[in-house]
Amino acid sequence: AAGVIQSPRHLIKEKRETATLKCYPIPRHDTVYWYQQGPGQDPQFLISFYEKMQSDKGSIPDRFSAQQFSDYHSELNMSSLELGDSALYFCASSLGIQETQYFGPGTRLLVL
Amino acid sequence: GEDVEQSLFLSVREGDSSVINCTYTDSSSTYLYWYKQEPGAGLQLLTYIFSNMDMKQDQRLTVLLNKKDKHLSLRIADTQTGDSAIYFCAESIGGYSTLTFGKGTMLLVSP
């Protein structure tokens, strides 16, 4: 069965650079979620979208923005990167809000 | 993860049963989930339980929910070395779609 696809899988950036992470949900899924997992930490919710509209917002820094496109894929844009942004970024998708979330493999971001 | 608590570490022998425990604080939790994360990998959904259920069994996995005590457990029967991973308990609350995770329990299965 098709799963959530995230790209790139690994990314190395320097401080103050920008990064764009992409997420392709499971076909027919209309809701995407972004989570950030720091080293040794639990995943923390950042933001979610349902039918291309922001549905919920968590601890997403102002330096980050995200959107969901007409084909339901989502992009997380990160600017003015800081060392503390180094983490594993997960995207999850579901068929509708409050439905079971299926996670992608994550993008590992390292900020030097 | 301060609303969801888990013990950090569990070590068992291959073939034994493992029980991973989780407590949560929000009584309006709708669904409770167990995810598995292997080293350097993503989060794999193992199972979930709706808050009006008290037990769910899926092959080697048994989930028990004590809503009065806000306690959730995951029992893995006949634990195998391939079960070694971090197990996260997560809750979704009421009309919200976001998941709140516990800190994760590292399960180590020795031969």
Side-chain angles (χ1 to χ4, degrees), chain B residues 77-89:
Chain B
D78 187 26
T79 314
Q80 303 297 307
T81 53
D83 294 324
S84 293
I86 298 176
Y87 290 79
F88 288 97
C89 166

Side-chain angles (χ1 to χ4, degrees), chain B residues 33-93:
Chain B
Y33 300 84
W34 285 104
Y35 285 87
K36 175 184 178 183
Q37 186 176 34
E38 297 184 51
L43 291 162
Q44 176 193 350
L45 175 66
L46 287 179
T47 187
Y48 62 93
I49 190 167
F50 189 53
S51 57
N52 69 354
M53 299 168 64
D54 51 22
M55 188 183 100
K56 181 177 180 181
Q57 187 154 3
D58 184 0
Q59 299 182 332
R60 292 192 297 124
L61 305 179
T62 302
V63 179
L64 295 178
L65 175 61
N66 182 329
K67 201 170 179 184
K68 173 175 167 289
D69 295 338
K70 299 191 184 70
H71 182 263
L72 181 74
S73 68
L74 174 69
R75 178 177 181 270
I76 305 173
D78 187 26
T79 314
Q80 303 297 307
T81 53
D83 294 324
S84 293
I86 298 176
Y87 290 79
F88 288 97
C89 166
E91 63 174 351
S92 66
I93 299 170

Side-chain angles (χ1 to χ4, degrees), chain B residues 20-31:
Chain B
I20 302 172
N21 294 301
C22 170
T23 57
Y24 59 98
T25 56
D26 200 309
S27 56
S28 57
S29 293
T30 309
Y31 284 97

Side-chain angles (χ1 to χ4, degrees), chain A residues 35 37 42 45 56 100-101, chain B residues 35 37 45 97-99 102-103:
Chain A
Y35 292 84
Q37 185 180 29
D42 55 297
F45 171 71
D56 212 342
T100 301
Q101 297 178 30
Chain B
Y35 285 87
Q37 186 176 34
L45 175 66
S97 57
T98 64
L99 293 178
K103 295 292 185 191

Side-chain angles (χ1 to χ4, degrees), chain A residues 36-39 83-89 107-111:
Chain A
Q36 177 192 58
Q37 185 180 29
L83 298 179
D85 296 329
S86 296
L88 193 53
Y89 289 83
T107 294
R108 189 171 296 278
L109 172 67
L110 178 61
V111 181

